[in-house]
Amino acid sequence: MSVLNIPRPAWMSEDVVLLEEQTRRFLASELVPHIDRWNENGIMDRQAWDKLGAAGLLCAGIPEEYGGAGGSFAHETVINREFALAGLDAIGAPLHSGIVAPYILRYGTQEQKQRWLPKLATGEMIGGIAMSEPGTGSDLQGVKTSAKRSGNGYVLNGSKTFITNGQHANLIVVVAKTDPDAGHKGISLIVLETDDAAGFRRGRKLKKLGMDWADTSELFFEDVKLPAEALLGDAEGQGFIQLMSDLPQERMIVATAAIGMIERALALTIDYVKERKAFGKAIIDFQNTQFELAECKSEATIGRVFHDHCIERHINGGLDTVTASMAKYWLTDLQNKIVDRCLQLFGGYGYMDEYPISRMYRDARVQRIYAGTNEIMKVLIARSL
Ligand SMILES: Cc1cc2nc3c(=O)[nH]c(=O)nc-3n(C[C@H](O)[C@H](O)[C@H](O)COP(=O)(O)OP(=O)(O)OC[C@H]3O[C@@H](n4cnc5c(N)ncnc54)[C@H](O)[C@@H]3O)c2cc1C
């Protein structure tokens, strides 16, 4: 489904196109029929993760030797775009496959990779990344959660909030201070296997403006005893650099969701305005409707071309943080703008929950906030001036 007439980008090789079609069919039959129930329950079914794993749609970019599908970020990207096109805005799989698993792949020891990646690929383990705390989000250096050396391991104390997959995750990468006096050099990534972890507690599944079935949650750590092998990699104090190095990918994941949701909003709206009538003609026959959608389609096309350019560069290893920040900020702003304009063309029905555009409007808002706020994106871009 695309209303944009854009030639297939070079990064979409034949096997990527096949994966796109396979993903579309799988999502339509296995996940989309459950969205309404998940919205009611405020969480998706745990089994949906196993289904995604069995279909090869988790960890598509992780090498086969670690249980992944052996693809690249191109494969991840088409899966993520299909999630957005299918209306699975709240799904935590892109974070699981595109953020948590790559941290382990890039920075983990051989033992850590072998222990965790195959289980992430099947869905036996669900990943989370716990950076934000009640007192700090944008300013990561301000984290208070601590991992103190104790005997041969660590003792973890602190709390996190707004954590995606917070109820289901059983493998959580926790940003913690191993040396509270060393500034950003005192930050390490600690990997917590939550099953049977004494002192670990999940807090509330937070009620939100949108993304109703995302299990965004609080997490608490009280004297959680961990082995030395819980430290990601083999040296303390690397956490901040590890986080910063992976930011372009995190930003592109959000940008892909944005462009996918834009394309879906346009498709839904074009269908609707052709059906709905007022003053004896279809809504699309009003010049205002045509101009609104002509502008939206133009901007969406520009957005998609820039998105594809960034994906291409990232796959080839050349996407810098500044350009990725532009994609995250600009495309999520555009998403909010276009979804709002589309909703207006639905009239009162656009405000009704049973019309997907209404949910898309609510879901869109957070895209400008998480994965680094759009203001932080501009701070980063401005540093390059
Ligand atoms: C649904 C959802 C899911 C999330 N998932 C996760 C997750 O899985 N893991 C995780 O760790 N976090 C997650 N987050 C947290 C998210 O990343 C943070 O909310 C975000 O980084 C902003 O941090 P904050 O909320 O503390 O806002 P603050 O940092 O307090 O910012 C408040 C305001 O000040 C602005 N601001 C801050 N610093 C500057 C500056 N230097 N210049 C200009 N303006 C500035 C911000 O842009 C913002 O407008 C999630 C959040 C939500 C809502």
Side-chain angles (χ1 to χ4, degrees), residues 51-73:
K51 283 189 186 175
L52 282 164
L57 300 181
L58 296 178
C59 300
I62 297 295
E64 283 173 287
E65 60 176 309
Y66 300 117
S72 70
F73 192 63

Side-chain angles (χ1 to χ4, degrees), residues 6-323:
I6 296 176
R8 191 205 298 171
W11 58 267
M12 282 186 73
S13 52
E14 284 303 325
D15 64 316
V16 173
V17 174
L18 282 177
L19 176 66
E20 182 182 57
E21 287 159 12
Q22 177 206 332
T23 308
R24 190 167 303 174
R25 279 197 303 274
F26 171 84
L27 298 181
S29 69
E30 300 296 326
L31 300 199
V32 170
H34 303 291
I35 293 179
D36 285 339
R37 187 168 49 80
W38 295 347
N39 268 317
E40 291 298 318
N41 296 346
I43 190 164
M44 84 186 227
D45 298 334
R46 172 65 181 81
Q47 299 91 297
W49 287 94
D50 302 323
K51 283 189 186 175
L52 282 164
L57 300 181
L58 296 178
C59 300
I62 297 295
E64 283 173 287
E65 60 176 309
Y66 300 117
S72 70
F73 192 63
H75 299 83
E76 298 273 359
T77 299
V78 291
I79 295 171
N80 294 343
R81 184 162 159 270
E82 288 304 315
F83 286 143
L85 290 174
L88 292 153
D89 306 350
I91 200 159
L95 177 138
H96 166 104
S97 301
I99 299 173
V100 177
Y103 275 131
I104 292 165
L105 179 70
R106 283 182 206 145
Y107 308 116
T109 62
Q110 191 57 21
E111 292 73 34
Q112 289 173 328
K113 289 191 256 197
Q114 278 163 348
R115 183 179 174 87
W116 294 320
L117 289 173
K119 291 183 180 169
L120 288 172
T122 58
E124 184 183 338
M125 280 186 155
I126 297 176
I129 170 98
M131 300 178 273
S132 308
E133 301 186 354
T136 194
S138 304
D139 180 12
L140 267 186
Q141 296 194 41
V143 296
K144 295 258 185 303
T145 297
S146 64
K148 279 200 185 126
R149 272 264 172 205
S150 166
N152 207 16
Y154 294 94
V155 177
L156 189 65
N157 274 291
S159 64
K160 298 287 178 180
T161 193
F162 306 146
I163 305 308
T164 298
N165 300 336
Q167 296 297 312
H168 279 150
N170 52 357
L171 190 77
I172 303 178
V173 178
V174 181
V175 177
K177 289 255 169 86
T178 37
D179 181 350
D181 303 319
H184 74 268
K185 292 187 178 143
I187 293 178
S188 300
L189 301 185
I190 302 289
V191 186
L192 173 67
E193 293 185 38
T194 66
D195 296 344
D196 306 321
F200 166 70
R201 187 165 62 80
R202 298 175 204 274
R204 290 177 299 149
K205 179 164 64 61
L206 301 162
K207 284 198 167 183
K208 309 181 291 300
L209 171 67
M211 302 219 174
D212 294 337
W213 52 275
D215 52 327
T216 317
S217 305
E218 299 170 317
L219 304 174
F220 300 97
F221 318 103
E222 210 176 308
D223 291 330
V224 183
K225 293 192 177 51
L226 294 168
E229 300 76 52
L231 175 75
L232 186 65
D234 40 27
E236 288 179 7
Q238 299 300 308
F240 197 73
I241 297 159
Q242 291 165 342
L243 288 167
M244 293 305 124
S245 315
D246 279 26
L247 286 180
Q249 177 146 322
E250 183 175 352
R251 279 157 199 171
M252 287 319 299
I253 289 170
V254 176
T256 296
I259 196 68
M261 292 185 217
I262 287 170
E263 290 177 53
R264 178 164 191 254
L266 273 176
L268 291 170
T269 310
I270 291 167
D271 282 350
Y272 183 81
V273 295
K274 285 181 178 168
E275 289 292 319
R276 178 79 177 168
K277 295 201 166 47
F279 300 97
K281 50 185 178 177
I283 302 291
I284 194 158
D285 292 330
F286 297 111
Q287 195 184 50
N288 176 65
T289 309
Q290 295 168 12
F291 281 11
E292 282 290 290
L293 290 173
E295 285 181 23
C296 288
K297 183 168 177 172
S298 306
E299 291 184 33
T301 302
I302 295 163
R304 177 73 198 266
V305 170
F306 180 53
H307 165 270
D308 287 345
H309 161 86
C310 292
I311 295 289
E312 179 93 50
R313 278 174 63 181
H314 186 51
I315 291 165
N316 295 330
L319 185 65
D320 58 299
T321 298
V322 171
T323 311

